[in-house]
Amino acid sequence: MQGAHATITVWKPQLAQPNSDFSLSQIWITAGQNGSTLQTIEAGWQVYPRRTQSSDPKLFVYWTPDGYSTGCYDRKCPGWVLTSNQYSPGMSLQPSTYGGQQSELAMDIEKDQSTGNWWLYLSSTPIGYWPSSIYNGGLLATSGSDILSWGGEIVDSSGTNGFHTLTQMGSGHLPNEGYSKASYV
């Protein structure tokens, strides 16, 4: 597979432990097996005060060439290349309002067949790319992805193993509440 699209609602979820928990919604593009051959391209929004020093939702990109042994968020280390002066990983995003105005993040990630680089587009505007060279000749550099995924994730550090957590994913409300109340991808 050579790319993916998602339209994701942006929210400002409440975190039970703001110094250690996080909540995100993203696209995952993966190749390889779990373990050292797993490679990922990830992009979306995230509320992660420990990393960003803010409780606002932020645009993020992430990558790993080796099953999360190494890798990097945004532009914190060499790897992801910013080409836009309009959008940038780490920028704050306007969250949706429960029962009101919805804020969406329209994202595309596409592999450039001539260079092998993976480009991120927001609302059809190219903002940067993951160079094929960061994948050390692995599947994301040479062919494409095995799995495309869309969704959310939380880290709950309260010791409940994820059961009955107070950290919200997305809006923190269930899908049966409907549009403008529950998150969607």
Side-chain angles (χ1 to χ4, degrees):
M1 292 171 269
Q2 305 293 308
H5 170 82
T7 299
I8 302 171
T9 46
V10 179
W11 293 91
K12 186 175 180 175
Q14 297 298 307
L15 307 178
Q17 305 289 324
N19 292 329
S20 54
D21 293 0
F22 74 75
S23 183
L24 64 77
S25 187
Q26 71 174 0
I27 297 175
W28 289 270
I29 295 179
T30 63
Q33 302 296 316
N34 286 333
S36 65
T37 63
L38 178 68
Q39 300 183 327
T40 73
I41 293 171
E42 304 174 37
W45 65 263
Q46 182 179 61
V47 173
Y48 193 179
R50 183 174 168 192
R51 188 177 77 77
T52 66
Q53 289 71 54
S54 171
S55 61
D56 292 331
K58 305 277 189 176
L59 176 67
F60 83 92
V61 298
Y62 184 85
W63 59 274
T64 181
D66 56 11
Y68 297 99
S69 292
T70 63
C72 196
Y73 274 107
D74 304 337
R75 297 172 55 210
K76 302 289 183 197
C77 59
W80 197 81
V81 179
L82 178 68
T83 61
S84 172
N85 59 9
Q86 183 178 3
Y87 299 108
S88 178
M91 68 183 271
S92 291
L93 299 170
Q94 180 66 41
S96 298
T97 302
Y98 181 82
Q101 181 69 37
Q102 299 301 284
S103 176
E104 295 180 335
L105 188 59
M107 298 186 302
D108 292 278
I109 300 173
E110 298 176 3
K111 185 171 186 177
D112 180 320
Q113 296 304 307
S114 63
T115 64
N117 298 333
W118 291 83
W119 279 86
L120 175 62
Y121 297 81
L122 293 184
S123 301
S124 302
T125 301
I127 72 160
Y129 63 93
W130 294 265
S132 63
S133 61
I134 64 176
Y135 295 104
N136 306 318
L139 289 173
L140 287 178
T142 60
S143 55
S145 67
D146 298 318
I147 299 172
L148 303 175
S149 301
W150 300 260
E153 177 182 342
I154 66 159
V155 164
D156 172 17
S157 60
S158 68
T160 62
N161 294 322
F163 296 102
H164 309 291
T165 179
L166 296 177
T167 291
Q168 296 176 334
M169 183 182 299
S171 68
H173 294 268
L174 298 174
N176 65 344
E177 292 185 47
Y179 179 78
S180 82
K181 298 177 181 171
S183 297
Y184 59 84
V185 176

